[in-house]
């Protein structure tokens, strides 16, 4: 028997094995991701309260309503605020903390890392409730600070439409800083110490070592961290909901709280599906653009 038929049989067996291994994951992915997306796209074309058959076909009216809704604009703007705060404050801060605590240079680093990581392992709802106490206008931290250092008046951050979302941004930084710190610490383990030592011998100071050695070596970690941060910002819900449910007067709405408030709570499942499809499109387009930018770079 020639080797060619054997090679063909081996390739067939290999293809069958790959198909058998991938099949469960593909089936689950289609059932729980792909099909629901198409279902939401279909429902978004109807005015539907979730009960009874789909009869009131309105084509793209739900999407027109979304684009003209002032509260949707507020929600979208708040999501972009989360992205900006994450990229400009949270990630640089997490990187600085990782530089301080990621090299096992002094005793107690593991304990300090646990302190920073602890907020991330708390459930989002629990975090929100904790910060509701912290922001309480009668006995919260801002009011205590005011009593000792200012004029003593009560400070109710979550009741002020101008300040509520800024207060939530503080919680978001606190909550997810530890997660990105751990990513950066993991990335730091892959930076060869010999490169840092060589740069130091060549006369580079600590800042120059970080800029010209550590950051380039951690490029892949930054790519993942930024991607997770932006996708997470688009989908943020639990913390915002626990703190104020999108209020007061919708000033702290995000896209997902807007979907819940105007889709599910009002039994407007057609409209809610349109919001979900819009959110999906944001994430999908961002994913395509970001992956392409990473590949080209």
């Amino acid at each position: 028997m020639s080797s060619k038929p054997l090679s063909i049989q081996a390739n067939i067996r290999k293809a069958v094995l790959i198909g058998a291994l991938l099949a469960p994951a593909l089936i689950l992915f289609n059932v729980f991701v792909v099909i629901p997306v198409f279902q939401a796209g279909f429902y978004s074309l109807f005015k539907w309260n979730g009960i009874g058959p789909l009869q009131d076909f309105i084509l793209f009216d739900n999407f027109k309503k979304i684009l003209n809704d002032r509260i949707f604009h507020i929600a979208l703007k708040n999501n972009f605020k989360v992205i900006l705060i994450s990229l400009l404050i949270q990630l640089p801060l997490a990187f600085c903390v990782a530089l301080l605590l990621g090299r096992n240079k002094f005793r107690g680093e593991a304990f300090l890392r646990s302190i920073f990581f602890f907020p991330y392992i708390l459930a989002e709802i629990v975090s929100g409730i904790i910060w509701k106490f912290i922001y309480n206008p009668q006995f919260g931290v801002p009011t205590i600070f005011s009593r000792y250092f200012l004029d003593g008046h009560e400070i109710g951050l979550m009741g002020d439409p101008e300040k509520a979302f800024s207060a939530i941004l503080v919680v978001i930084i606190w909550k997810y800083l530890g997660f990105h710190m751990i990513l950066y610490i993991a990335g730091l383990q892959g930076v060869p110490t010999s490169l840092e030592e060589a740069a130091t011998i060549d006369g580079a100071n600590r800042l120059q070592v970080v800029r010209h050695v550590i950051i380039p070596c951690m490029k892949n970690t930054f790519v993942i961290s930024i991607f997770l941060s932006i996708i997470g910002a688009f989908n943020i819900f639990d913390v915002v909901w626990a703190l104020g449910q999108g209020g007061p007067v919708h000033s702290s709405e995000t896209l997902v709280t807007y979907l819940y408030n105007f889709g599910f709570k009002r039994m407007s499942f057609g409209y809610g599906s349109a919001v979900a499809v819009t959110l999906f499109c944001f994430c999908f387009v961002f994913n395509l653009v970001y992956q392409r930018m990473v590949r080209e770079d």
Side-chain angles (χ1 to χ4, degrees):
M1 186 182 290
S2 67
S3 61
K4 193 172 180 181
L6 283 176
S7 176
I8 293 173
Q9 288 178 358
N11 288 334
I12 292 173
R13 280 199 298 271
K14 187 177 178 182
V16 170
L17 177 62
I18 292 172
L21 292 173
L22 288 178
L26 283 175
I27 292 170
L28 290 173
F29 181 76
N30 280 291
V31 169
F32 292 107
V33 178
V34 177
I35 293 174
V37 168
F38 281 102
Q39 273 187 319
F42 180 66
Y43 295 154
S44 69
L45 304 177
F46 291 84
K47 184 178 181 182
W48 185 48
N49 63 3
I51 302 172
L54 296 163
Q55 293 178 333
D56 196 355
F57 183 72
I58 56 174
L59 196 57
F60 298 120
D61 283 2
N62 281 327
F63 293 95
K64 292 176 185 173
K65 187 178 173 184
I66 289 172
L67 294 177
N68 293 319
D69 189 356
R70 183 184 63 84
I71 299 172
F72 177 80
H73 298 162
I74 292 172
L76 186 60
K77 193 163 67 175
N78 285 338
N79 277 94
F80 280 109
K81 283 182 185 175
V82 176
I83 292 172
L84 282 177
I85 291 297
S86 297
L87 296 182
L88 298 180
I89 296 178
Q90 188 180 59
L91 300 193
L93 194 58
F95 180 60
C96 291
V97 176
L99 288 175
L100 291 173
L101 304 179
R103 291 302 179 87
N104 294 319
K105 289 185 176 178
F106 59 88
R107 293 181 64 183
E109 279 192 14
F111 174 74
L112 291 174
R113 285 199 295 266
S114 302
I115 295 292
F116 279 100
F117 189 65
F118 181 71
Y120 181 70
I121 62 176
L122 284 175
E124 277 79 359
I125 294 295
V126 174
S127 301
I129 292 171
I130 290 172
W131 278 87
K132 278 191 83 169
F133 282 106
I134 292 174
Y135 286 148
N136 189 288
Q138 294 179 327
F139 53 81
V141 173
T143 298
I144 293 173
F145 182 84
S146 171
R147 283 174 186 157
Y148 281 101
F149 301 103
L150 300 175
D151 55 4
H153 71 280
E154 293 182 349
I155 300 177
L157 295 177
M158 295 310 300
D160 186 340
E162 299 293 328
K163 299 173 183 172
F165 199 72
S166 298
I168 291 174
L169 289 176
V170 172
V171 181
I172 291 171
I173 292 173
W174 169 84
K175 171 77 179 160
Y176 298 105
L177 185 139
F179 170 72
H180 293 283
M181 177 201 72
I182 290 295
L183 283 181
Y184 293 144
I185 287 175
L188 276 173
Q189 310 313 310
V191 179
T193 54
S194 58
L195 287 180
E196 294 182 53
E197 291 168 357
T200 305
I201 292 171
D202 288 342
N205 58 35
R206 183 60 184 162
L207 190 61
Q208 289 170 327
V209 170
V210 171
R211 181 181 174 188
H212 298 291
V213 177
I214 294 177
I215 290 178
C217 288
M218 290 179 58
K219 179 183 167 186
N220 291 335
T221 307
F222 288 118
V223 167
I224 294 171
S225 175
I226 292 171
F227 179 79
L228 294 177
S229 180
I230 295 176
I231 289 295
F234 275 122
N235 291 289
I236 193 156
F237 172 74
D238 308 58
V239 172
V240 179
W241 188 259
L243 280 166
Q245 301 185 5
V249 288
H250 302 291
S251 62
S252 63
E253 293 277 9
T254 62
L255 290 179
V256 184
T257 62
Y258 177 84
L259 186 159
Y260 189 78
N261 273 326
F262 290 85
F264 289 91
K265 286 185 74 176
R266 301 187 182 193
M267 297 292 286
S268 299
F269 286 91
Y271 187 72
S273 298
V275 178
V277 169
T278 306
L279 178 59
F280 171 80
C281 290
F282 279 130
C283 294
F284 187 69
V285 170
F286 163 72
N287 178 46
L288 290 180
V289 172
Y290 192 73
Q291 298 296 340
R292 182 168 183 174
M293 287 172 61
V294 170
R295 267 205 311 273
E296 288 178 351
D297 191 40

